[in-house]
Amino acid sequence: EPEVTQTPSHQVTQMGQEVILRCVPISNHLYFYWYRQILGQKVEFLVSFYNNEISEKSEIFDDQFSVERPDGSNFTLKIRSTKLEDSAMYFCASRGDTYEQFFGPGTRLTVL
Amino acid sequence: GENVEQHPSTLSVQEGDSAVIKCTYSDSASNYFPWYKQELGKGPQLIIDIRSNVGEKKDQRIAVTLNKTAKHFSLHITETQPEDSAVYFCAASKTGNQFYFGTGTSLTVIP
């Protein structure tokens, strides 16, 4: 069964450093998403991406964040200058023609 | 924006009993309501969803009901099994893109 994959599973970084989280969506999907989950809190929407551009974004997704689909398979989330409060689990998701979003296993980001 | 509330935050049931998790939403324009199951160390997995044009949907031991007037929807799991133990999240969406999640319910099924 096709699945969304994410790398790395755990990323530790120093405050102020840039990080890139990587995702490989399901191959025939056209809509891509990033969510985050701070420990013990709700899963929160960050951004949706379709046809090589951002279609929706939340207030969390400020100028420090960017997304890219650099090739036909990867979908990345970049945080330019990490803060302590960026520590969270980051989930990538993708969908096809239906509303069903398929989630990856997540990347745990720890900012020290 | 949309606000989704979920109750209870924890739920323990005996194996074989039923479990019910309830969610409310605030935006009457929301029209898609998925339920996700998250096991330890994994991403959320869709277990059932419902669109606003139906009131109930069932898939084997799992059912979801939707009351658009009251703006609430519920997950029902019958004949619970230990492998049903996980965290369950409800969500609401009006575009199919931005999902608003509830706070999650940690379900424990006691053998």
Side-chain angles (χ1 to χ4, degrees):
Chain A
E1 186 174 325
E3 57 182 19
V4 176
T5 58
Q6 291 184 242
T7 54
S9 56
H10 190 191
Q11 174 88 50
V12 181
T13 189
Q14 296 289 327
M15 190 169 56
Q17 295 296 304
E18 174 184 287
V19 294
I20 297 176
L21 310 183
R22 291 184 166 81
C23 168
V24 179
I26 293 173
S27 63
N28 61 345
H29 285 181
L30 299 176
Y31 299 83
F32 313 111
Y33 307 91
W34 284 101
Y35 291 83
R36 79 171 186 192
Q37 185 179 29
I38 294 171
L39 190 64
Q41 297 187 22
K42 291 185 182 190
V43 176
E44 299 173 290
F45 170 82
L46 293 178
V47 66
S48 63
F49 191 85
Y50 171 73
N51 200 25
N52 282 319
E53 60 183 28
I54 291 173
S55 48
E56 291 180 52
K57 61 181 181 178
S58 71
E59 292 176 353
I60 303 167
F61 195 87
D62 61 22
D63 292 345
Q64 291 300 311
F65 291 89
S66 63
V67 289
E68 193 178 31
R69 188 153 164 82
D71 53 42
S73 58
N74 290 283
F75 179 52
T76 62
L77 174 69
K78 182 193 289 186
I79 309 175
R80 265 180 266 283
S81 177
T82 50
K83 305 173 201 158
L84 294 176
E85 54 265 35
D86 292 329
S87 294
M89 182 73 88
Y90 288 81
F91 293 107
C92 173
S94 69
R95 72 171 176 95
D97 292 335
T98 69
Y99 276 14
E100 180 181 356
Q101 293 186 19
F102 292 80
F103 282 75
T107 292
R108 180 169 297 285
L109 176 64
T110 301
V111 182
L112 303 176
Chain B
E2 173 71 279
N3 183 42
V4 177
E5 300 286 341
Q6 182 173 348
H7 299 280
S9 57
T10 60
L11 179 61
S12 290
V13 299
Q14 291 289 332
E15 182 177 358
D17 287 350
S18 295
V20 180
I21 303 170
K22 299 182 178 182
C23 287
T24 60
Y25 60 99
S26 60
D27 189 344
S28 56
S30 289
N31 57 16
Y32 176 66
F33 306 93
W35 284 90
Y36 282 84
K37 176 183 181 182
Q38 186 176 24
E39 296 175 321
L40 202 60
K42 297 184 179 179
Q45 285 194 300
L46 181 76
I47 54 170
I48 196 166
D49 57 6
I50 191 167
R51 301 291 294 266
S52 60
N53 57 348
V54 299
E56 185 173 357
K57 184 176 177 181
K58 190 172 181 181
D59 182 4
Q60 298 183 340
R61 297 186 295 109
I62 295 172
V64 56
T65 58
L66 171 65
N67 183 327
K68 284 191 297 183
T69 304
K71 296 206 280 286
H72 67 70
F73 57 112
S74 301
L75 177 71
H76 304 253
I77 307 174
T78 58
E79 300 170 29
T80 52
Q81 301 165 4
E83 51 265 38
D84 294 329
S85 295
V87 178
Y88 291 81
F89 292 96
C90 64
S93 177
K94 58 184 177 185
T95 65
N97 286 324
Q98 186 165 358
F99 281 10
Y100 294 87
F101 281 87
T103 47
T105 296
S106 178
L107 173 66
T108 302
V109 179
I110 304 164

